[in-house]
PDB file of all heavy atoms in Angstrom:
ATOM      1  N   PRO L 794       1.534 159.436-147.649  1.00 98.00           N
ATOM      2  CA  PRO L 794       0.248 158.920-147.431  1.00 98.00           C
ATOM      3  C   PRO L 794      -0.685 159.268-148.620  1.00 98.00           C
ATOM      4  O   PRO L 794      -0.349 160.157-149.446  1.00 98.00           O
ATOM      5  CB  PRO L 794      -0.254 159.568-146.192  1.00 98.00           C
ATOM      6  CG  PRO L 794       0.427 160.888-146.217  1.00 98.00           C
ATOM      7  CD  PRO L 794       1.798 160.678-146.933  1.00 98.00           C
ATOM      8  N   ASP L 817      19.660 145.823-156.428  1.00 94.00           N
ATOM      9  CA  ASP L 817      20.475 146.410-157.693  1.00 94.00           C
ATOM     10  C   ASP L 817      21.618 147.304-157.146  1.00 94.00           C
ATOM     11  O   ASP L 817      22.588 147.357-157.813  1.00 94.00           O
ATOM     12  CB  ASP L 817      19.474 147.176-158.507  1.00 94.00           C
ATOM     13  CG  ASP L 817      19.941 147.389-159.935  1.00 94.00           C
ATOM     14  OD1 ASP L 817      20.357 146.405-160.596  1.00 94.00           O
ATOM     15  OD2 ASP L 817      19.994 148.600-160.388  1.00 94.00           O
ATOM     16  N   ASP L 857       8.685 160.948-135.149  1.00 98.00           N
ATOM     17  CA  ASP L 857       8.952 162.409-134.851  1.00 98.00           C
ATOM     18  C   ASP L 857      10.372 162.580-134.232  1.00 98.00           C
ATOM     19  O   ASP L 857      10.888 163.655-134.378  1.00 98.00           O
ATOM     20  CB  ASP L 857       7.860 162.961-133.935  1.00 98.00           C
ATOM     21  CG  ASP L 857       6.564 163.337-134.656  1.00 98.00           C
ATOM     22  OD1 ASP L 857       6.660 163.567-135.854  1.00 98.00           O
ATOM     23  OD2 ASP L 857       5.545 163.414-134.004  1.00 98.00           O
ATOM     24  N   ALA L 860      12.616 162.169-137.872  1.00 98.00           N
ATOM     25  CA  ALA L 860      12.235 162.718-139.206  1.00 98.00           C
ATOM     26  C   ALA L 860      12.630 164.228-139.347  1.00 98.00           C
ATOM     27  O   ALA L 860      12.499 164.719-140.486  1.00 98.00           O
ATOM     28  CB  ALA L 860      10.680 162.620-139.280  1.00 98.00           C
ATOM     29  N   THR L 885      11.556 158.765-154.354  1.00 98.00           N
ATOM     30  CA  THR L 885      12.041 158.481-155.721  1.00 98.00           C
ATOM     31  C   THR L 885      11.104 157.348-156.286  1.00 98.00           C
ATOM     32  O   THR L 885      10.784 157.368-157.446  1.00 98.00           O
ATOM     33  CB  THR L 885      13.501 158.219-155.784  1.00 98.00           C
ATOM     34  OG1 THR L 885      14.027 158.892-156.831  1.00 98.00           O
ATOM     35  CG2 THR L 885      13.791 156.748-155.932  1.00 98.00           C
ATOM     36  N   GLY L 886      10.822 156.377-155.436  1.00 98.00           N
ATOM     37  CA  GLY L 886       9.874 155.271-155.946  1.00 98.00           C
ATOM     38  C   GLY L 886       8.538 155.787-156.310  1.00 98.00           C
ATOM     39  O   GLY L 886       7.946 155.383-157.276  1.00 98.00           O
ATOM     40  N   ASP L 896       0.710 163.134-160.067  1.00 98.00           N
ATOM     41  CA  ASP L 896       0.651 164.086-158.959  1.00 98.00           C
ATOM     42  C   ASP L 896       1.504 165.270-159.130  1.00 98.00           C
ATOM     43  O   ASP L 896       1.064 166.457-158.987  1.00 98.00           O
ATOM     44  CB  ASP L 896       1.101 163.247-157.665  1.00 98.00           C
ATOM     45  CG  ASP L 896       1.097 164.126-156.411  1.00 98.00           C
ATOM     46  OD1 ASP L 896       1.456 165.351-156.523  1.00 98.00           O
ATOM     47  OD2 ASP L 896       0.804 163.648-155.360  1.00 98.00           O
ATOM     48  N   LEU L 897       2.742 165.114-159.642  1.00 98.00           N
ATOM     49  CA  LEU L 897       3.631 166.136-159.853  1.00 98.00           C
ATOM     50  C   LEU L 897       3.159 167.145-160.983  1.00 98.00           C
ATOM     51  O   LEU L 897       3.440 168.278-160.940  1.00 98.00           O
ATOM     52  CB  LEU L 897       5.088 165.745-160.192  1.00 98.00           C
ATOM     53  CG  LEU L 897       6.027 165.318-159.120  1.00 98.00           C
ATOM     54  CD1 LEU L 897       7.315 164.954-159.780  1.00 98.00           C
ATOM     55  CD2 LEU L 897       6.241 166.430-158.103  1.00 98.00           C
ATOM     56  N   ASN L 902       7.286 164.183-172.093  1.00 98.00           N
ATOM     57  CA  ASN L 902       7.521 162.934-172.569  1.00 98.00           C
ATOM     58  C   ASN L 902       6.470 162.522-173.679  1.00 98.00           C
ATOM     59  O   ASN L 902       5.971 161.410-173.704  1.00 98.00           O
ATOM     60  CB  ASN L 902       7.501 161.859-171.476  1.00 98.00           C
ATOM     61  CG  ASN L 902       8.052 160.497-171.838  1.00 98.00           C
ATOM     62  OD1 ASN L 902       8.956 160.447-172.609  1.00 98.00           O
ATOM     63  ND2 ASN L 902       7.503 159.444-171.329  1.00 98.00           N
ATOM     64  N   TRP L 907       7.962 172.740-179.318  1.00 97.00           N
ATOM     65  CA  TRP L 907       8.366 173.712-178.325  1.00 97.00           C
ATOM     66  C   TRP L 907       8.358 175.034-178.964  1.00 97.00           C
ATOM     67  O   TRP L 907       9.200 175.320-179.816  1.00 97.00           O
ATOM     68  CB  TRP L 907       9.708 173.388-177.700  1.00 97.00           C
ATOM     69  CG  TRP L 907      10.305 174.568-176.891  1.00 97.00           C
ATOM     70  CD1 TRP L 907      11.267 175.393-177.316  1.00 97.00           C
ATOM     71  CD2 TRP L 907       9.916 174.855-175.588  1.00 97.00           C
ATOM     72  NE1 TRP L 907      11.516 176.299-176.364  1.00 97.00           N
ATOM     73  CE2 TRP L 907      10.667 175.968-175.171  1.00 97.00           C
ATOM     74  CE3 TRP L 907       9.003 174.440-174.639  1.00 97.00           C
ATOM     75  CZ2 TRP L 907      10.578 176.659-174.013  1.00 97.00           C
ATOM     76  CZ3 TRP L 907       8.799 175.124-173.423  1.00 97.00           C
ATOM     77  CH2 TRP L 907       9.624 176.092-173.107  1.00 97.00           C
ATOM     78  N   ASP L 913       1.123 183.410-170.538  1.00 98.00           N
ATOM     79  CA  ASP L 913       0.704 183.861-169.269  1.00 98.00           C
ATOM     80  C   ASP L 913       1.755 183.561-168.113  1.00 98.00           C
ATOM     81  O   ASP L 913       1.853 184.312-167.150  1.00 98.00           O
ATOM     82  CB  ASP L 913      -0.566 183.034-168.880  1.00 98.00           C
ATOM     83  CG  ASP L 913      -0.364 181.515-168.812  1.00 98.00           C
ATOM     84  OD1 ASP L 913       0.463 180.978-169.710  1.00 98.00           O
ATOM     85  OD2 ASP L 913      -0.977 180.814-168.000  1.00 98.00           O
ATOM     86  N   TYR L 922      10.405 187.509-174.377  1.00 98.00           N
ATOM     87  CA  TYR L 922      11.497 187.125-175.412  1.00 98.00           C
ATOM     88  C   TYR L 922      11.850 188.476-176.144  1.00 98.00           C
ATOM     89  O   TYR L 922      10.906 189.272-176.467  1.00 98.00           O
ATOM     90  CB  TYR L 922      11.038 186.228-176.455  1.00 98.00           C
ATOM     91  CG  TYR L 922      10.849 184.797-175.816  1.00 98.00           C
ATOM     92  CD1 TYR L 922       9.638 184.139-175.597  1.00 98.00           C
ATOM     93  CD2 TYR L 922      12.001 184.024-175.427  1.00 98.00           C
ATOM     94  CE1 TYR L 922       9.533 182.858-175.031  1.00 98.00           C
ATOM     95  CE2 TYR L 922      11.934 182.801-174.838  1.00 98.00           C
ATOM     96  CZ  TYR L 922      10.714 182.216-174.704  1.00 98.00           C
ATOM     97  OH  TYR L 922      10.550 181.016-174.123  1.00 98.00           O
ATOM     98  N   ARG L 925      15.020 190.037-181.097  1.00 98.00           N
ATOM     99  CA  ARG L 925      16.014 189.187-181.836  1.00 98.00           C
ATOM    100  C   ARG L 925      15.654 187.693-181.658  1.00 98.00           C
ATOM    101  O   ARG L 925      15.721 186.863-182.546  1.00 98.00           O
ATOM    102  CB  ARG L 925      17.425 189.500-181.419  1.00 98.00           C
ATOM    103  CG  ARG L 925      18.336 188.675-182.162  1.00 98.00           C
ATOM    104  CD  ARG L 925      19.861 189.192-182.162  1.00 98.00           C
ATOM    105  NE  ARG L 925      20.713 188.285-182.986  1.00 98.00           N
ATOM    106  CZ  ARG L 925      21.376 187.128-182.543  1.00 98.00           C
ATOM    107  NH1 ARG L 925      21.300 186.849-181.273  1.00 98.00           N
ATOM    108  NH2 ARG L 925      22.163 186.494-183.406  1.00 98.00           N
ATOM    109  N   TYR L 933       6.923 177.500-186.477  1.00 92.00           N
ATOM    110  CA  TYR L 933       6.274 176.221-186.992  1.00 92.00           C
ATOM    111  C   TYR L 933       5.144 176.693-187.876  1.00 92.00           C
ATOM    112  O   TYR L 933       4.374 177.708-187.522  1.00 92.00           O
ATOM    113  CB  TYR L 933       5.676 175.397-185.917  1.00 92.00           C
ATOM    114  CG  TYR L 933       6.910 175.076-184.974  1.00 92.00           C
ATOM    115  CD1 TYR L 933       7.030 175.772-183.686  1.00 92.00           C
ATOM    116  CD2 TYR L 933       7.787 174.021-185.148  1.00 92.00           C
ATOM    117  CE1 TYR L 933       8.076 175.535-182.768  1.00 92.00           C
ATOM    118  CE2 TYR L 933       8.760 173.728-184.270  1.00 92.00           C
ATOM    119  CZ  TYR L 933       8.949 174.466-183.133  1.00 92.00           C
ATOM    120  OH  TYR L 933      10.001 174.224-182.256  1.00 92.00           O
TER     121      TYR L 933
ATOM    122  N   ARG X1182      14.584 149.788-162.172  1.00 92.00           N
ATOM    123  CA  ARG X1182      15.462 150.682-161.390  1.00 92.00           C
ATOM    124  C   ARG X1182      15.217 152.095-161.775  1.00 92.00           C
ATOM    125  O   ARG X1182      15.902 153.015-161.368  1.00 92.00           O
ATOM    126  CB  ARG X1182      16.872 150.336-161.667  1.00 92.00           C
ATOM    127  CG  ARG X1182      17.454 150.315-163.183  1.00 92.00           C
ATOM    128  CD  ARG X1182      18.894 150.066-163.195  1.00 92.00           C
ATOM    129  NE  ARG X1182      19.238 148.766-162.728  1.00 92.00           N
ATOM    130  CZ  ARG X1182      19.472 147.638-163.535  1.00 92.00           C
ATOM    131  NH1 ARG X1182      19.063 147.734-164.812  1.00 92.00           N
ATOM    132  NH2 ARG X1182      19.863 146.480-163.052  1.00 92.00           N
ATOM    133  N   GLN X1280      23.761 183.287-185.592  1.00 98.00           N
ATOM    134  CA  GLN X1280      24.838 184.037-185.966  1.00 98.00           C
ATOM    135  C   GLN X1280      25.232 185.127-184.938  1.00 98.00           C
ATOM    136  O   GLN X1280      24.396 186.016-184.609  1.00 98.00           O
ATOM    137  CB  GLN X1280      24.479 184.824-187.292  1.00 98.00           C
ATOM    138  CG  GLN X1280      24.077 183.839-188.417  1.00 98.00           C
ATOM    139  CD  GLN X1280      25.096 182.842-188.873  1.00 98.00           C
ATOM    140  OE1 GLN X1280      26.310 183.151-188.953  1.00 98.00           O
ATOM    141  NE2 GLN X1280      24.748 181.541-189.143  1.00 98.00           N
ATOM    142  N   LYS X1296      13.500 178.451-178.707  1.00 98.00           N
ATOM    143  CA  LYS X1296      13.470 179.592-177.743  1.00 98.00           C
ATOM    144  C   LYS X1296      13.940 179.101-176.351  1.00 98.00           C
ATOM    145  O   LYS X1296      13.765 177.881-176.033  1.00 98.00           O
ATOM    146  CB  LYS X1296      12.053 180.065-177.581  1.00 98.00           C
ATOM    147  CG  LYS X1296      11.607 180.956-178.807  1.00 98.00           C
ATOM    148  CD  LYS X1296      10.080 181.231-178.582  1.00 98.00           C
ATOM    149  CE  LYS X1296       9.505 181.960-179.901  1.00 98.00           C
ATOM    150  NZ  LYS X1296       8.086 181.952-179.883  1.00 98.00           N
ATOM    151  N   PRO X1297      14.516 179.960-175.616  1.00 98.00           N
ATOM    152  CA  PRO X1297      14.892 179.631-174.204  1.00 98.00           C
ATOM    153  C   PRO X1297      13.728 179.172-173.295  1.00 98.00           C
ATOM    154  O   PRO X1297      12.597 179.692-173.561  1.00 98.00           O
ATOM    155  CB  PRO X1297      15.549 180.875-173.694  1.00 98.00           C
ATOM    156  CG  PRO X1297      15.949 181.698-174.880  1.00 98.00           C
ATOM    157  CD  PRO X1297      14.837 181.309-175.899  1.00 98.00           C
ATOM    158  N   TYR X1338      11.033 167.188-179.632  1.00 98.00           N
ATOM    159  CA  TYR X1338      11.141 167.873-178.352  1.00 98.00           C
ATOM    160  C   TYR X1338      10.725 166.978-177.142  1.00 98.00           C
ATOM    161  O   TYR X1338       9.856 167.347-176.318  1.00 98.00           O
ATOM    162  CB  TYR X1338      10.384 169.209-178.291  1.00 98.00           C
ATOM    163  CG  TYR X1338      10.714 170.108-179.329  1.00 98.00           C
ATOM    164  CD1 TYR X1338      10.044 170.253-180.515  1.00 98.00           C
ATOM    165  CD2 TYR X1338      12.010 170.801-179.295  1.00 98.00           C
ATOM    166  CE1 TYR X1338      10.484 171.072-181.592  1.00 98.00           C
ATOM    167  CE2 TYR X1338      12.410 171.694-180.246  1.00 98.00           C
ATOM    168  CZ  TYR X1338      11.694 171.750-181.455  1.00 98.00           C
ATOM    169  OH  TYR X1338      12.183 172.551-182.468  1.00 98.00           O
ATOM    170  N   GLN X1341      15.242 163.820-174.893  1.00 96.00           N
ATOM    171  CA  GLN X1341      15.811 162.444-174.576  1.00 96.00           C
ATOM    172  C   GLN X1341      16.929 162.029-175.579  1.00 96.00           C
ATOM    173  O   GLN X1341      17.034 160.852-175.916  1.00 96.00           O
ATOM    174  CB  GLN X1341      14.741 161.443-174.530  1.00 96.00           C
ATOM    175  CG  GLN X1341      13.766 161.656-173.318  1.00 96.00           C
ATOM    176  CD  GLN X1341      12.493 160.823-173.544  1.00 96.00           C
ATOM    177  OE1 GLN X1341      12.548 159.821-174.168  1.00 96.00           O
ATOM    178  NE2 GLN X1341      11.438 161.389-172.884  1.00 96.00           N
ATOM    179  N   LYS X1463       3.536 177.082-162.380  1.00 98.00           N
ATOM    180  CA  LYS X1463       2.584 176.579-163.272  1.00 98.00           C
ATOM    181  C   LYS X1463       3.168 175.444-164.176  1.00 98.00           C
ATOM    182  O   LYS X1463       4.312 175.548-164.638  1.00 98.00           O
ATOM    183  CB  LYS X1463       1.931 177.644-164.235  1.00 98.00           C
ATOM    184  CG  LYS X1463       0.838 177.121-165.106  1.00 98.00           C
ATOM    185  CD  LYS X1463       0.307 178.085-166.090  1.00 98.00           C
ATOM    186  CE  LYS X1463      -0.617 177.467-167.032  1.00 98.00           C
ATOM    187  NZ  LYS X1463      -1.169 178.319-168.012  1.00 98.00           N
ATOM    188  N   ARG X1464       2.413 174.343-164.357  1.00 98.00           N
ATOM    189  CA  ARG X1464       2.902 173.249-165.095  1.00 98.00           C
ATOM    190  C   ARG X1464       2.588 173.398-166.613  1.00 98.00           C
ATOM    191  O   ARG X1464       1.541 173.816-167.047  1.00 98.00           O
ATOM    192  CB  ARG X1464       2.265 171.869-164.665  1.00 98.00           C
ATOM    193  CG  ARG X1464       2.365 171.596-163.099  1.00 98.00           C
ATOM    194  CD  ARG X1464       3.750 171.478-162.632  1.00 98.00           C
ATOM    195  NE  ARG X1464       3.804 170.845-161.354  1.00 98.00           N
ATOM    196  CZ  ARG X1464       4.168 171.376-160.262  1.00 98.00           C
ATOM    197  NH1 ARG X1464       4.584 172.617-160.213  1.00 98.00           N
ATOM    198  NH2 ARG X1464       4.255 170.625-159.141  1.00 98.00           N
ATOM    199  N   ASP X1468       9.949 170.275-171.975  1.00 98.00           N
ATOM    200  CA  ASP X1468      11.050 169.340-172.276  1.00 98.00           C
ATOM    201  C   ASP X1468      12.062 169.896-173.199  1.00 98.00           C
ATOM    202  O   ASP X1468      13.232 169.917-173.011  1.00 98.00           O
ATOM    203  CB  ASP X1468      10.539 168.070-172.933  1.00 98.00           C
ATOM    204  CG  ASP X1468       9.921 167.067-171.819  1.00 98.00           C
ATOM    205  OD1 ASP X1468      10.161 167.345-170.663  1.00 98.00           O
ATOM    206  OD2 ASP X1468       9.264 166.109-172.244  1.00 98.00           O
ATOM    207  N   HIS X1507      15.027 161.455-158.249  1.00 96.00           N
ATOM    208  CA  HIS X1507      14.138 162.508-158.023  1.00 96.00           C
ATOM    209  C   HIS X1507      13.619 162.502-156.599  1.00 96.00           C
ATOM    210  O   HIS X1507      13.254 161.356-156.098  1.00 96.00           O
ATOM    211  CB  HIS X1507      12.950 162.359-158.997  1.00 96.00           C
ATOM    212  CG  HIS X1507      11.958 163.465-158.891  1.00 96.00           C
ATOM    213  ND1 HIS X1507      12.031 164.622-159.722  1.00 96.00           N
ATOM    214  CD2 HIS X1507      10.914 163.686-158.098  1.00 96.00           C
ATOM    215  CE1 HIS X1507      11.011 165.495-159.342  1.00 96.00           C
ATOM    216  NE2 HIS X1507      10.398 164.894-158.410  1.00 96.00           N
ATOM    217  N   TYR X1531       7.569 164.352-143.005  1.00 98.00           N
ATOM    218  CA  TYR X1531       6.875 163.169-143.685  1.00 98.00           C
ATOM    219  C   TYR X1531       5.417 163.548-143.920  1.00 98.00           C
ATOM    220  O   TYR X1531       4.979 164.665-143.323  1.00 98.00           O
ATOM    221  CB  TYR X1531       7.006 161.832-142.832  1.00 98.00           C
ATOM    222  CG  TYR X1531       6.389 162.059-141.458  1.00 98.00           C
ATOM    223  CD1 TYR X1531       5.153 161.871-141.158  1.00 98.00           C
ATOM    224  CD2 TYR X1531       7.256 162.587-140.473  1.00 98.00           C
ATOM    225  CE1 TYR X1531       4.553 162.055-139.913  1.00 98.00           C
ATOM    226  CE2 TYR X1531       6.701 162.786-139.123  1.00 98.00           C
ATOM    227  CZ  TYR X1531       5.408 162.528-138.870  1.00 98.00           C
ATOM    228  OH  TYR X1531       4.792 162.755-137.637  1.00 98.00           O
ATOM    229  N   LYS X1536       4.462 165.668-149.072  1.00 97.00           N
ATOM    230  CA  LYS X1536       3.923 165.634-150.438  1.00 97.00           C
ATOM    231  C   LYS X1536       3.756 166.999-151.036  1.00 97.00           C
ATOM    232  O   LYS X1536       4.046 167.298-152.150  1.00 97.00           O
ATOM    233  CB  LYS X1536       2.637 164.890-150.519  1.00 97.00           C
ATOM    234  CG  LYS X1536       2.754 163.386-150.593  1.00 97.00           C
ATOM    235  CD  LYS X1536       1.315 162.617-150.586  1.00 97.00           C
ATOM    236  CE  LYS X1536       0.928 162.184-151.962  1.00 97.00           C
ATOM    237  NZ  LYS X1536      -0.253 161.321-151.858  1.00 97.00           N
ATOM    238  N   ARG X1540       5.550 168.870-154.490  1.00 97.00           N
ATOM    239  CA  ARG X1540       4.862 169.515-155.613  1.00 97.00           C
ATOM    240  C   ARG X1540       5.418 171.041-155.625  1.00 97.00           C
ATOM    241  O   ARG X1540       5.648 171.513-156.718  1.00 97.00           O
ATOM    242  CB  ARG X1540       3.334 169.597-155.255  1.00 97.00           C
ATOM    243  CG  ARG X1540       2.670 168.318-155.361  1.00 97.00           C
ATOM    244  CD  ARG X1540       1.246 168.312-154.882  1.00 97.00           C
ATOM    245  NE  ARG X1540       0.798 166.998-154.720  1.00 97.00           N
ATOM    246  CZ  ARG X1540       0.159 166.534-153.588  1.00 97.00           C
ATOM    247  NH1 ARG X1540      -0.206 167.414-152.567  1.00 97.00           N
ATOM    248  NH2 ARG X1540      -0.262 165.306-153.413  1.00 97.00           N
TER     249      ARG X1540
END
Side-chain angles (χ1 to χ4, degrees):
Chain L
D817 200 52
D857 280 339
T885 227
D896 177 322
L897 276 184
N902 198 33
W907 167 257
D913 61 325
Y922 290 112
R925 177 165 186 264
Y933 307 97
Chain X
R1182 57 173 67 88
Q1280 304 297 318
K1296 288 177 189 162
Y1338 304 100
Q1341 295 164 25
K1463 185 186 170 179
R1464 308 300 199 245
D1468 280 350
H1507 181 96
Y1531 58 88
K1536 273 179 107 172
R1540 292 170 196 136

